[in-house]
Amino acid sequence: MGGPTTRNRLLQALPLDELDRLLPQFERVDVHKGDVLMSIGEPTEFAYFPEGGLSSNLMVTSEGRKVEVGCFGFEGMVSSATALASDRSPHEVQVEVGAPWLRIRAEVLRSAIQSSPALHTLLIRYAHTLTLTVSQTAMSNGVNSIEERLARWILMAQDRLEGDEVPLTHDFLSIMLATQRSSVTLAMQALEGYGAIRAKRARIIVRDRDMLCDLAGKSYGPAEAEYERLIGSFRDRPPPHSG
């Protein structure tokens, strides 16, 4: 009672005695929009556990084009490769909405994983849910319409930002959705016409979440439901069904 606390939902899933032992190994840092904290193939000096905000796991082509394969906030951590006995990041990690994060030296976390079966199991489960998110993104980009993909992504962002406002530009959304800015604009107009969102300069306001869920269809829900099943809730609303 009265010990260190955190808003990171992943760490909150640890048994309290394990959390009390682990939290003093962290330091709290502020990250800001546009920060790139990891690059593909780069040795990981730190692991990060966000306490808020929104960030992206990106793949980068040889020509420098970036495509998001997953996003995370206070329900997650990077790099999950640390939990899989790797010292290299598989993704570029870019901050989209800044917030306080907790960071721990990667070698300290790896040592803690070796001595704590509960922590090891928790982070392996998170890596599993992240794999589902990446797989769902690949399927969504391949078979779903831009409107479905945009609805899914707004839902994922809202889950992590906890409010009805998503502060993102069309340029950034084109990276998230692996499409042209003009296509994002048309999809945004369509969702706004349905009454699901209201688009303003550099931000999206969610007006009807249920409608967004209907528009996203089965492209949204499986990875989120698996997180709820294996780890716990990371939103103050009912969990999505897995279809």
Side-chain angles (χ1 to χ4, degrees), residues 13-174:
L14 281 170
L16 286 178
D17 58 338
E18 300 252 0
L19 181 61
D20 287 342
R21 284 196 296 269
L22 186 61
L23 274 181
Q25 308 301 314
F26 285 88
E27 62 176 330
R28 188 169 275 110
V29 297
D30 287 324
V31 303
H32 306 281
K33 178 179 174 62
D35 287 352
V36 176
L37 299 181
M38 295 180 184
S39 298
I40 297 172
E42 171 185 88
T44 51
E45 182 180 3
F46 295 99
Y48 296 88
F49 291 73
E51 295 192 302
L54 181 68
S55 299
S56 297
N57 302 100
L58 304 174
M59 294 302 295
V60 185
T61 69
S62 57
E63 296 79 23
R65 183 184 179 191
K66 298 181 179 182
V67 177
E68 187 191 66
V69 295
C71 68
F72 63 95
F74 61 9
E75 90 294 349
M77 59 87 66
V78 287
S79 167
S80 60
T82 308
L84 302 174
S86 174
D87 62 352
R88 308 277 169 156
S89 174
H91 304 126
E92 180 176 300
V93 175
Q94 180 174 319
V95 179
E96 307 308 332
V97 178
W101 285 20
L102 294 177
R103 76 177 184 183
I104 185 171
R105 290 199 171 274
E107 66 268 21
V108 174
L109 182 61
R110 283 192 287 268
S111 177
I113 290 169
Q114 291 175 356
S115 62
S116 170
L119 178 62
H120 184 221
T121 298
L122 178 66
L123 296 187
I124 290 293
R125 286 179 172 181
Y126 176 69
H128 166 67
T129 65
L130 182 60
T131 298
L132 288 180
T133 299
V134 172
S135 300
Q136 198 76 22
T137 299
M139 183 180 73
S140 183
N141 286 347
V143 304
N144 292 337
S145 70
I146 182 65
E147 289 85 3
E148 289 173 306
R149 287 151 55 196
L150 178 59
R152 171 182 181 256
W153 199 89
I154 293 171
L155 289 166
M156 293 172 67
Q158 188 190 27
D159 286 343
R160 290 154 177 86
L161 295 174
E162 294 190 293
D164 293 333
E165 187 169 309
V166 179
L168 297 170
T169 65
H170 288 203
D171 286 334
F172 173 70
L173 286 168
S174 69

